[in-house]
Amino acid sequence: MDGKKTKLEPKGKDTKEEIISKASEVKDSVSEKGEEVKAKAVEVKDSVSEKGEEVKVKASETKDTVSDKGKEFRESASEKTEELRTTAEKMVNDVLKTLREKQEDLGKTINDYTAPTTPYVDLINTSNEFILIADLPGVEKDGLSVDVTNESVTITATFPEGMEGEDVNYIKRERGSGEVTRTLKLPAEIKIKEANANFEEYILTIKLPKEIAETQKLEIN
């Protein structure tokens, strides 16, 4: 051996620098990644915020739509209720009208049944007058009127109502009540101003002097 000594450089020196460099690179990379992560987080946050706003807008639109639909439903229900009420009122009014008409018809039928058919009269012809006699049982003088023209006589009489009451029950009813009118045509003209009427014991007597044409006998030559 020649006894020369060789100085060896420590191999760990380059490795340490490399490690520091690598660590710096890793740090920078981590820093960049952190910035990227922060940026992504901001983007995600903004996206979530935008989505939240969209959700709020959609929710508000849905709420408004539901409110409008509810309003339309209430208005439709109100219109249907009003239509049903109008229809019901019309039906009730029609029923009441029909009942009133039936009641009027029934009243007319009852009046026709209970009213006297006509005053019974005799008309007598004499040489100088007509005599009319009418039976008016139960009629009062203030319920009687007589109208005459040159060729007719009209008698209007009001017959009294019958017996009424809860304990009154008609088994048979032929005597009528109410107002009746009868007009008689006379065979010849009468003197209106000389006509007279008398009412006694429910018998009406009317005397109607005839309008007699004057005659003159002519001498024959």
Side-chain angles (χ1 to χ4, degrees), residues 133-148:
I133 302 174
D135 290 332
L136 303 170
V139 175
E140 300 296 333
K141 188 175 181 179
D142 56 2
L144 177 64
S145 67
V146 178
D147 297 293
V148 296

Side-chain angles (χ1 to χ4, degrees), residues 10 25 30 34 40 46 52 56-57 61 80 83 91 94 112 115 120 130 135 157 165 174 187:
E25 290 177 0
V30 169
K40 290 292 184 182
D46 293 341
K56 288 181 180 179
V57 172
E61 291 176 353
K80 291 293 184 182
E83 183 178 348
M91 291 176 64
D94 289 343
D112 291 342
Y120 294 107
F130 298 110
D135 290 332
E174 295 181 349

